[in-house]
Amino acid sequence: MWWFQQGLCLLPAALVVWTVASFVFAYITAVVLRHVDPLVPYISDTGTLAPERCVFGIMMDVSAFLGIATVYVRYKQVEALLDDEVKLRRLNFVGLLLGWMSSFGMCVVANFQKTTFFPMHLVGAILTFGVGAIYILVQTLMSHYMQPHIHSKTTFVVRLTILVWTLGSIISMFVSSVIMYSSLSGVDVPRKLHWIPGEPGYVPHLVSTVSEWFLAFSFISFFLTYIRDFQKINLRAVAVFQSSHLYDGTVPPSRQNRPSETSPLLAGTT
């Protein structure tokens, strides 16, 4: 059995690969069409103009769906591993809500381009990366409390390292963005897609874009730590029939005296 056939580990792997592919595809397309500069543009800039913004939006919507599914599976896994630890169960539920908010933020970022509706795009970015960073913090805290009796200390250390990487990228991006905007008063920065080396604000702009790419990849890398965990879990849905018919009123004679059924939606062989 291949590694990706074990449990649900294909889910976080698909999330990471698909999201990276959406970034790379949008970047290559935008650079080839000369919509952005090749040297580290903002991720949002690569998905601003047609046709790349159309594909970028669709691909990020799929990433959001994969993110929602991954966060839910993680929630169910931790819930099953915990006994009667009320604090951890509450923390786990908070993590579920934060993860779903961050995933929804990806949809907002992808569908509200910065050049068309910048305030909403900014809200989406805060949901994706800001709330996403808190989600990573919550999961790292749970990893701390769950080691060593549920998983190894190495898992906690790796997640802690990614958390520090994420927070460092956020701080660097925020500070450099403030400096950039303060040095470009009167300039419509969200619509500025081309930069000339040496012009005012170029250096903080470059620091800001590099920080954004670092932040994106740190956030995505966190889900790689779920692959080994998800190899040990499977979920299945069960269909419970409450009646042997779908009529609202009188049951036809042909359907009478038939027992109700409970049937697994995903049935296996015995």
Side-chain angles (χ1 to χ4, degrees), residues 24-103:
V24 173
F25 177 82
Y27 170 79
I28 293 176
T29 306
V31 169
V32 170
L33 296 178
R34 298 183 180 180
H35 291 165
V36 296
D37 298 322
L39 185 59
V40 199
Y42 280 115
I43 297 175
S44 301
D45 290 348
T46 63
T48 297
L49 301 177
E52 60 268 21
R53 74 178 179 186
C54 305
V55 180
F56 181 75
I58 293 174
M59 295 185 72
M60 289 304 295
D61 288 342
V62 175
S63 293
F65 172 77
L66 292 173
I68 290 173
T70 301
V71 168
Y72 177 74
V73 173
R74 174 62 180 175
Y75 165 76
K76 296 298 290 185
Q77 183 179 46
V78 174
E79 184 183 46
L81 290 171
L82 297 176
D83 294 325
D84 295 326
E85 304 173 56
V86 179
K87 291 184 179 180
L88 285 182
R89 286 185 176 274
R90 290 177 179 174
L91 194 62
N92 187 37
F93 182 72
V94 170
L96 173 68
L97 297 180
L98 292 172
W100 280 354
M101 290 174 61
S102 179
S103 299

Side-chain angles (χ1 to χ4, degrees), residues 236-241 261-268:
R236 72 186 184 100
V238 176
V240 179
F241 292 95
E261 299 178 4
T262 300
S263 173
L265 185 61
L266 303 176

